[in-house]
């Protein structure tokens, strides 16, 4: 009588299991590029095609260096990812400052209700996308680092981390989770279900809340004045 040899299965590598698709992040960058093109000239950081061109080149370099799923960790890729997020954030903050200045001084870009709502909505959407990508890139070392190992003390605590019984053991936050975080923080002006733990996340979420409050508050006030 012969005994059966137990079947063994090789555990998948962390990068194959946890690397998230590149396309959601790439779609967000493309959306931000389009929104930048739609902004009035006075609200853009540079001439119409400059910022989108820089963002597009950085995005193409990232896709070429780490196609498919985000799981390759190199200093060059990390630098390009941070540079891309930096350009997006700088462009969004610049447009916000210019929009506020235009509203306060009754500029031409906000002189009509339609132009005001279009411009204000575009700038607000740019800030949401920029902050979502900032959270996505900086939390727990970035998506490539998260694909290999989740730290025991993350910078942002999602519900699945606070209540592990609600998620699988291999759960990782993906870009959609950070987009949801940025959107709710921009509308509620405070944390909702994602808790900031690290000092930089508290500062960043506070800045985003203030920026969103300024945009929405001034746009509404200006719209009431225009329509009155």
């Amino acid at each position: 009588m012969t005994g059966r040899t137990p079947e063994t299965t090789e555990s998948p590598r962390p990068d194959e299991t946890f690397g998230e698709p590149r396309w959601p992040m790439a779609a967000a960058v493309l959306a931000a590029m389009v929104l930048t093109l739609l902004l009035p000239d006075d609200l853009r950081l540079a001439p119409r095609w400059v910022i989108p061109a820089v963002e597009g080149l950085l995005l193409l370099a990232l896709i070429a260096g780490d196609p498919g799923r985000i799981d390759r960790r190199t200093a060059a890729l990390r630098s390009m990812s941070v540079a891309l997020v930096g350009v997006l954030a700088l462009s969004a903050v610049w447009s916000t400052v210019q929009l506020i200045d235009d509203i306060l001084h009754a500029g031409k870009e906000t002189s009509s209700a339609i132009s005001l709502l279009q411009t204000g909505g575009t700038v607000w959407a740019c800030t949401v996308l920029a902050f979502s990508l900032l959270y996505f890139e900086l939390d727990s070392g970035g998506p490539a680092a998260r694909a290999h190992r989740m730290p025991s003390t993350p910078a942002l605590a999602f519900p699945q981390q606070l209540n592990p019984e609600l998620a699988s053991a291999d759960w990782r936050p993906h870009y959609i989770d950070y987009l949801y975080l940025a959107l709710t923080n921009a509308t509620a002006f405070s944390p909702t279900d994602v808790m900031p733990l690290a000092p930089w996340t508290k500062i960043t979420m506070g800045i985003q809340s203030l920026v969103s409050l300024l945009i929405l508050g001034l746009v509404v006030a200006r719209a009431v004045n225009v329509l009155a």
Side-chain angles (χ1 to χ4, degrees):
M1 182 175 181
T2 59
R4 296 181 60 187
T5 302
E7 295 184 359
T8 59
T9 57
E10 182 181 355
S11 297
R13 294 184 305 170
D15 58 343
E16 292 177 339
T17 305
F18 304 128
E20 63 178 292
R22 172 75 69 181
W23 71 263
M25 169 267 183
V29 174
L30 291 174
M33 292 165 58
V34 172
L35 290 173
T36 301
L37 292 173
L38 295 177
L39 285 172
D41 292 338
D42 294 342
L43 270 63
R44 283 195 299 269
L45 177 61
R48 181 178 295 272
W49 292 101
V50 172
I51 297 298
V54 172
E55 294 168 349
L57 289 174
L58 288 171
L59 179 60
L60 288 176
L62 286 173
I63 294 174
D66 188 16
R69 293 186 173 273
I70 308 174
D71 52 28
R72 187 181 177 195
R73 294 181 293 179
T74 68
L77 288 172
R78 179 64 173 162
S79 298
M80 286 188 291
S81 297
V82 173
L84 175 57
V85 172
V87 173
L88 286 162
L90 180 61
S91 177
V93 171
W94 176 270
S95 297
T96 299
V97 171
Q98 296 305 310
L99 173 65
I100 293 173
D101 180 74
D102 197 88
I103 291 176
L104 293 178
H105 294 90
K108 62 179 181 179
E109 305 299 347
T110 57
S111 58
S112 70
I114 295 178
S115 175
L116 172 64
L117 294 176
Q118 288 178 341
T119 302
T122 301
V123 172
W124 183 81
C126 284
T127 64
V128 171
L129 290 173
F131 277 96
S132 71
L133 289 163
L134 190 150
Y135 299 134
F136 169 78
E137 187 57 45
L138 297 185
D139 181 34
S140 301
R146 292 193 298 271
H148 293 265
R149 184 186 67 85
M150 280 297 294
S152 57
T153 56
L156 291 164
F158 290 85
Q160 293 88 338
Q161 294 165 313
L162 296 173
N163 299 282
E165 66 276 7
L166 299 179
S168 59
D170 60 358
W171 185 86
R172 300 288 193 275
H174 288 68
Y175 174 69
I176 186 62
D177 298 293
Y178 295 99
L179 178 60
Y180 176 77
L181 164 63
L183 180 61
T184 55
N185 194 50
T187 51
F189 312 123
S190 65
T192 54
D193 61 344
V194 182
M195 295 295 106
L197 302 181
W200 75 262
T201 56
K202 296 178 180 181
I203 294 172
T204 305
M205 290 182 69
I207 291 174
Q208 188 196 3
S209 296
L210 289 174
V211 168
S212 184
L213 181 61
L214 279 173
I215 293 174
L216 296 179
L218 289 176
V219 166
V220 170
R222 175 68 172 156
V224 171
N225 185 51
V226 170
L227 295 174

